[in-house]
PDB file of all heavy atoms in Angstrom:
ATOM      1  N   ALA A   1       9.718   0.187  -7.882  1.00  0.00           N
ATOM      2  CA  ALA A   1      10.062   1.405  -7.149  1.00  0.00           C
ATOM      3  C   ALA A   1       8.902   2.400  -7.151  1.00  0.00           C
ATOM      4  O   ALA A   1       8.627   3.043  -6.132  1.00  0.00           O
ATOM      5  CB  ALA A   1      11.301   2.046  -7.763  1.00  0.00           C
ATOM      6  N   ARG A   2       8.198   2.526  -8.269  1.00  0.00           N
ATOM      7  CA  ARG A   2       7.087   3.468  -8.368  1.00  0.00           C
ATOM      8  C   ARG A   2       5.954   3.074  -7.441  1.00  0.00           C
ATOM      9  O   ARG A   2       5.426   3.905  -6.698  1.00  0.00           O
ATOM     10  CB  ARG A   2       6.600   3.541  -9.816  1.00  0.00           C
ATOM     11  CG  ARG A   2       5.460   4.547 -10.022  1.00  0.00           C
ATOM     12  CD  ARG A   2       5.189   4.778 -11.483  1.00  0.00           C
ATOM     13  NE  ARG A   2       4.776   3.559 -12.162  1.00  0.00           N
ATOM     14  CZ  ARG A   2       5.537   2.910 -13.040  1.00  0.00           C
ATOM     15  NH1 ARG A   2       6.748   3.355 -13.330  1.00  0.00           N
ATOM     16  NH2 ARG A   2       5.092   1.817 -13.633  1.00  0.00           N
ATOM     17  N   HIS A   3       5.586   1.813  -7.454  1.00  0.00           N
ATOM     18  CA  HIS A   3       4.487   1.374  -6.597  1.00  0.00           C
ATOM     19  C   HIS A   3       4.907   1.308  -5.145  1.00  0.00           C
ATOM     20  O   HIS A   3       4.088   1.493  -4.251  1.00  0.00           O
ATOM     21  CB  HIS A   3       3.972   0.016  -7.072  1.00  0.00           C
ATOM     22  CG  HIS A   3       3.165   0.104  -8.325  1.00  0.00           C
ATOM     23  ND1 HIS A   3       1.799   0.241  -8.313  1.00  0.00           N
ATOM     24  CD2 HIS A   3       3.528   0.100  -9.642  1.00  0.00           C
ATOM     25  CE1 HIS A   3       1.344   0.307  -9.561  1.00  0.00           C
ATOM     26  NE2 HIS A   3       2.375   0.217 -10.386  1.00  0.00           N
ATOM     27  N   GLY A   4       6.201   1.036  -4.887  1.00  0.00           N
ATOM     28  CA  GLY A   4       6.667   1.065  -3.508  1.00  0.00           C
ATOM     29  C   GLY A   4       6.622   2.462  -2.933  1.00  0.00           C
ATOM     30  O   GLY A   4       6.251   2.674  -1.780  1.00  0.00           O
ATOM     31  N   ALA A   5       6.961   3.492  -3.749  1.00  0.00           N
ATOM     32  CA  ALA A   5       6.882   4.884  -3.306  1.00  0.00           C
ATOM     33  C   ALA A   5       5.439   5.295  -3.058  1.00  0.00           C
ATOM     34  O   ALA A   5       5.134   6.017  -2.116  1.00  0.00           O
ATOM     35  CB  ALA A   5       7.532   5.798  -4.347  1.00  0.00           C
ATOM     36  N   ARG A   6       4.521   4.823  -3.906  1.00  0.00           N
ATOM     37  CA  ARG A   6       3.106   5.136  -3.723  1.00  0.00           C
ATOM     38  C   ARG A   6       2.581   4.532  -2.436  1.00  0.00           C
ATOM     39  O   ARG A   6       1.803   5.150  -1.712  1.00  0.00           O
ATOM     40  CB  ARG A   6       2.315   4.611  -4.917  1.00  0.00           C
ATOM     41  CG  ARG A   6       0.833   4.953  -4.876  1.00  0.00           C
ATOM     42  CD  ARG A   6       0.132   4.371  -6.090  1.00  0.00           C
ATOM     43  NE  ARG A   6       0.744   4.870  -7.328  1.00  0.00           N
ATOM     44  CZ  ARG A   6       0.402   4.430  -8.527  1.00  0.00           C
ATOM     45  NH1 ARG A   6      -0.529   3.500  -8.659  1.00  0.00           N
ATOM     46  NH2 ARG A   6       0.985   4.922  -9.605  1.00  0.00           N
ATOM     47  N   GLN A   7       3.052   3.325  -2.120  1.00  0.00           N
ATOM     48  CA  GLN A   7       2.625   2.673  -0.881  1.00  0.00           C
ATOM     49  C   GLN A   7       3.125   3.458   0.323  1.00  0.00           C
ATOM     50  O   GLN A   7       2.406   3.637   1.306  1.00  0.00           O
ATOM     51  CB  GLN A   7       3.171   1.249  -0.837  1.00  0.00           C
ATOM     52  CG  GLN A   7       2.856   0.515   0.467  1.00  0.00           C
ATOM     53  CD  GLN A   7       3.522  -0.843   0.515  1.00  0.00           C
ATOM     54  OE1 GLN A   7       4.117  -1.273  -0.456  1.00  0.00           O
ATOM     55  NE2 GLN A   7       3.430  -1.489   1.659  1.00  0.00           N
ATOM     56  N   GLY A   8       4.388   3.962   0.252  1.00  0.00           N
ATOM     57  CA  GLY A   8       4.920   4.735   1.359  1.00  0.00           C
ATOM     58  C   GLY A   8       4.170   6.042   1.554  1.00  0.00           C
ATOM     59  O   GLY A   8       3.938   6.481   2.673  1.00  0.00           O
ATOM     60  N   ALA A   9       3.755   6.699   0.464  1.00  0.00           N
ATOM     61  CA  ALA A   9       2.997   7.942   0.564  1.00  0.00           C
ATOM     62  C   ALA A   9       1.629   7.696   1.190  1.00  0.00           C
ATOM     63  O   ALA A   9       1.134   8.497   1.982  1.00  0.00           O
ATOM     64  CB  ALA A   9       2.844   8.579  -0.819  1.00  0.00           C
ATOM     65  N   THR A  10       1.011   6.582   0.857  1.00  0.00           N
ATOM     66  CA  THR A  10      -0.288   6.240   1.430  1.00  0.00           C
ATOM     67  C   THR A  10      -0.184   6.035   2.928  1.00  0.00           C
ATOM     68  O   THR A  10      -1.027   6.477   3.709  1.00  0.00           O
ATOM     69  CB  THR A  10      -0.848   4.981   0.756  1.00  0.00           C
ATOM     70  OG1 THR A  10      -0.917   5.211  -0.640  1.00  0.00           O
ATOM     71  CG2 THR A  10      -2.208   4.628   1.309  1.00  0.00           C
ATOM     72  N   ALA A  11       0.870   5.343   3.353  1.00  0.00           N
ATOM     73  CA  ALA A  11       1.058   5.097   4.782  1.00  0.00           C
ATOM     74  C   ALA A  11       1.326   6.401   5.518  1.00  0.00           C
ATOM     75  O   ALA A  11       0.868   6.595   6.649  1.00  0.00           O
ATOM     76  CB  ALA A  11       2.216   4.115   4.983  1.00  0.00           C
ATOM     77  N   ALA A  12       2.063   7.351   4.906  1.00  0.00           N
ATOM     78  CA  ALA A  12       2.376   8.611   5.563  1.00  0.00           C
ATOM     79  C   ALA A  12       1.143   9.493   5.720  1.00  0.00           C
ATOM     80  O   ALA A  12       1.042  10.280   6.658  1.00  0.00           O
ATOM     81  CB  ALA A  12       3.455   9.363   4.769  1.00  0.00           C
ATOM     82  N   SER A  13       0.170   9.366   4.798  1.00  0.00           N
ATOM     83  CA  SER A  13      -1.038  10.176   4.869  1.00  0.00           C
ATOM     84  C   SER A  13      -2.033   9.672   5.890  1.00  0.00           C
ATOM     85  O   SER A  13      -3.032  10.317   6.153  1.00  0.00           O
ATOM     86  CB  SER A  13      -1.704  10.225   3.487  1.00  0.00           C
ATOM     87  OG  SER A  13      -2.122   8.924   3.102  1.00  0.00           O
ATOM     88  N   GLY A  14      -1.797   8.497   6.457  1.00  0.00           N
ATOM     89  CA  GLY A  14      -2.683   7.952   7.469  1.00  0.00           C
ATOM     90  C   GLY A  14      -3.814   7.141   6.921  1.00  0.00           C
ATOM     91  O   GLY A  14      -4.682   6.686   7.665  1.00  0.00           O
ATOM     92  N   VAL A  15      -3.874   6.957   5.596  1.00  0.00           N
ATOM     93  CA  VAL A  15      -4.927   6.152   4.990  1.00  0.00           C
ATOM     94  C   VAL A  15      -4.567   4.691   5.130  1.00  0.00           C
ATOM     95  O   VAL A  15      -3.407   4.311   4.978  1.00  0.00           O
ATOM     96  CB  VAL A  15      -5.095   6.521   3.501  1.00  0.00           C
ATOM     97  CG1 VAL A  15      -6.207   5.686   2.869  1.00  0.00           C
ATOM     98  CG2 VAL A  15      -5.404   7.997   3.379  1.00  0.00           C
ATOM     99  N   ALA A  16      -5.550   3.887   5.415  1.00  0.00           N
ATOM    100  CA  ALA A  16      -5.293   2.460   5.576  1.00  0.00           C
ATOM    101  C   ALA A  16      -4.766   1.882   4.281  1.00  0.00           C
ATOM    102  O   ALA A  16      -5.303   2.153   3.202  1.00  0.00           O
ATOM    103  CB  ALA A  16      -6.579   1.728   5.991  1.00  0.00           C
ATOM    104  N   GLU A  17      -3.678   1.089   4.379  1.00  0.00           N
ATOM    105  CA  GLU A  17      -3.078   0.478   3.210  1.00  0.00           C
ATOM    106  C   GLU A  17      -3.895  -0.696   2.737  1.00  0.00           C
ATOM    107  O   GLU A  17      -4.450  -1.444   3.540  1.00  0.00           O
ATOM    108  CB  GLU A  17      -1.665  -0.014   3.536  1.00  0.00           C
ATOM    109  CG  GLU A  17      -0.723   1.109   3.922  1.00  0.00           C
ATOM    110  CD  GLU A  17       0.659   0.570   4.190  1.00  0.00           C
ATOM    111  OE1 GLU A  17       0.858  -0.642   3.985  1.00  0.00           O
ATOM    112  OE2 GLU A  17       1.539   1.348   4.590  1.00  0.00           O
ATOM    113  N   PRO A  18      -4.024  -0.871   1.460  1.00  0.00           N
ATOM    114  CA  PRO A  18      -4.718  -2.057   0.945  1.00  0.00           C
ATOM    115  C   PRO A  18      -3.946  -3.309   1.284  1.00  0.00           C
ATOM    116  O   PRO A  18      -2.733  -3.288   1.402  1.00  0.00           O
ATOM    117  CB  PRO A  18      -4.775  -1.816  -0.566  1.00  0.00           C
ATOM    118  CG  PRO A  18      -3.649  -0.877  -0.843  1.00  0.00           C
ATOM    119  CD  PRO A  18      -3.535  -0.015   0.356  1.00  0.00           C
ATOM    120  N   ALA A  19      -4.683  -4.389   1.401  1.00  0.00           N
ATOM    121  CA  ALA A  19      -4.064  -5.652   1.792  1.00  0.00           C
ATOM    122  C   ALA A  19      -3.264  -6.227   0.649  1.00  0.00           C
ATOM    123  O   ALA A  19      -3.522  -5.942  -0.513  1.00  0.00           O
ATOM    124  CB  ALA A  19      -5.147  -6.654   2.229  1.00  0.00           C
ATOM    125  N   TYR A  20      -2.270  -7.059   0.973  1.00  0.00           N
ATOM    126  CA  TYR A  20      -1.462  -7.764  -0.015  1.00  0.00           C
ATOM    127  C   TYR A  20      -2.232  -8.956  -0.558  1.00  0.00           C
ATOM    128  O   TYR A  20      -3.185  -9.443   0.030  1.00  0.00           O
ATOM    129  CB  TYR A  20      -0.164  -8.268   0.609  1.00  0.00           C
ATOM    130  CG  TYR A  20       0.751  -7.178   1.082  1.00  0.00           C
ATOM    131  CD1 TYR A  20       1.495  -7.329   2.240  1.00  0.00           C
ATOM    132  CD2 TYR A  20       0.855  -5.991   0.363  1.00  0.00           C
ATOM    133  CE1 TYR A  20       2.338  -6.324   2.681  1.00  0.00           C
ATOM    134  CE2 TYR A  20       1.699  -4.990   0.787  1.00  0.00           C
ATOM    135  CZ  TYR A  20       2.433  -5.157   1.944  1.00  0.00           C
ATOM    136  OH  TYR A  20       3.273  -4.178   2.378  1.00  0.00           O
ATOM    137  N   VAL A  21      -1.768  -9.415  -1.672  1.00  0.00           N
ATOM    138  CA  VAL A  21      -2.323 -10.643  -2.222  1.00  0.00           C
ATOM    139  C   VAL A  21      -2.033 -11.774  -1.255  1.00  0.00           C
ATOM    140  O   VAL A  21      -0.919 -11.919  -0.761  1.00  0.00           O
ATOM    141  CB  VAL A  21      -1.699 -10.951  -3.595  1.00  0.00           C
ATOM    142  CG1 VAL A  21      -2.118 -12.333  -4.058  1.00  0.00           C
ATOM    143  CG2 VAL A  21      -2.130  -9.902  -4.603  1.00  0.00           C
ATOM    144  N   GLY A  22      -3.006 -12.581  -0.978  1.00  0.00           N
ATOM    145  CA  GLY A  22      -2.797 -13.684  -0.051  1.00  0.00           C
ATOM    146  C   GLY A  22      -3.150 -13.308   1.368  1.00  0.00           C
ATOM    147  O   GLY A  22      -2.935 -14.085   2.290  1.00  0.00           O
ATOM    148  N   ALA A  23      -3.714 -12.102   1.609  1.00  0.00           N
ATOM    149  CA  ALA A  23      -4.075 -11.708   2.951  1.00  0.00           C
ATOM    150  C   ALA A  23      -5.409 -12.325   3.308  1.00  0.00           C
ATOM    151  O   ALA A  23      -6.233 -12.651   2.478  1.00  0.00           O
ATOM    152  CB  ALA A  23      -4.155 -10.183   3.048  1.00  0.00           C
ATOM    153  N   ASP A  24      -5.626 -12.437   4.607  1.00  0.00           N
ATOM    154  CA  ASP A  24      -6.893 -13.011   5.069  1.00  0.00           C
ATOM    155  C   ASP A  24      -7.932 -11.905   5.168  1.00  0.00           C
ATOM    156  O   ASP A  24      -7.736 -10.770   4.754  1.00  0.00           O
ATOM    157  CB  ASP A  24      -6.690 -13.735   6.399  1.00  0.00           C
ATOM    158  CG  ASP A  24      -6.050 -12.837   7.449  1.00  0.00           C
ATOM    159  OD1 ASP A  24      -6.097 -11.609   7.251  1.00  0.00           O
ATOM    160  OD2 ASP A  24      -5.514 -13.372   8.435  1.00  0.00           O
ATOM    161  N   ALA A  25      -9.064 -12.213   5.786  1.00  0.00           N
ATOM    162  CA  ALA A  25     -10.164 -11.267   5.844  1.00  0.00           C
ATOM    163  C   ALA A  25      -9.830 -10.044   6.665  1.00  0.00           C
ATOM    164  O   ALA A  25     -10.406  -8.972   6.489  1.00  0.00           O
ATOM    165  CB  ALA A  25     -11.411 -11.957   6.419  1.00  0.00           C
TER     166      ALA A  25
END
């Protein structure tokens, strides 16, 4: 829940979200 909330705040600020594990280039 803590990291999910942090991810939502990052998306709301307009900053590009870091890629998930297993993402391509």
Side-chain angles (χ1 to χ4, degrees):
R2 182 169 61 251
H3 286 267
R6 183 181 303 174
Q7 176 185 354
T10 303
S13 64
V15 181
E17 297 182 4
Y20 296 143
V21 171
D24 54 18

